[in-house]
Amino acid sequence: MTAPRRPLVEMPLRVRYHECDGQGIVFNAHYLAYVDMASFEVEKALFGSHDAFLATGVDVVVAESNLRFRAPCRYDDDLVVAAYLAHLGTTSMGYEFEIRRDGLITTEVRVRYVFVDPATLRKTEPPASVREVYAAHLPAPTAS
């Protein structure tokens, strides 16, 4: 039996009126803003703050994102954004986010971040200390 995966963070938020479109549903671009907010909460949980993360000598930029909408979110919904580290490569990492309402997954988001030098914004490998922090939160390999 596989143990359920545990999120790095679970960030609560309430949908604000201005985030909804004419149909009364959260406008699609706001879901990326929600996961971006959660990614900063991950940095806070792992490194203490975004500034502390930057002090390690690297930053991250979004290279790719994919959203799957399973159920609509509306004004005043109480949501939870859960962040999971899914992959750690040499110069990139992948996160999976679940946006839930009352335990129901409404949206699944996958984001690939690339580590960059903050001064040049060029792709770089993270220092070993950063890699170790993230590696500790990778899912356990499954037996095949």
Side-chain angles (χ1 to χ4, degrees):
M1 180 195 256
T2 304
R5 65 183 185 164
R6 296 187 55 178
L8 289 165
V9 297
E10 290 185 299
M11 183 192 77
L13 68 90
R14 180 168 292 168
V15 175
R16 297 168 293 186
Y17 181 78
H18 73 274
E19 295 167 343
C20 299
D21 59 21
Q23 296 149 333
I25 297 170
V26 172
F27 180 67
N28 64 77
H30 288 293
Y31 293 93
L32 287 174
Y34 297 163
V35 300
D36 191 55
M37 292 162 44
S39 72
F40 280 98
E41 292 300 316
V42 169
E43 286 182 358
K44 186 176 180 181
L46 298 183
F47 298 95
S49 69
H50 178 64
D51 287 339
F53 174 68
L54 292 177
T56 67
V58 292
D59 197 358
V60 292
V61 295
V62 173
E64 182 178 1
S65 59
N66 178 278
L67 291 85
R68 182 173 181 229
F69 302 103
R70 296 174 63 168
C73 297
R74 294 184 167 82
Y75 167 66
D76 213 30
D77 278 354
D78 286 314
L79 306 176
V80 173
V81 182
Y84 304 88
L85 182 62
H87 170 77
L88 180 62
T90 305
T91 58
S92 68
M93 64 181 164
Y95 273 89
E96 294 176 352
F97 297 91
E98 292 176 348
I99 300 175
R100 290 183 248 121
R101 181 188 57 246
D102 297 326
L104 171 76
I105 297 174
T106 65
T107 315
E108 297 170 317
V109 184
R110 288 176 177 70
V111 179
R112 183 171 54 92
Y113 296 95
V114 173
F115 291 99
V116 296
D117 177 304
T120 65
L121 296 182
R122 294 203 174 168
K123 182 169 62 171
T124 189
E125 292 184 30
S129 60
V130 170
R131 177 175 288 292
E132 288 171 13
V133 169
Y134 283 113
H137 298 282
L138 283 169
T142 56
S144 44

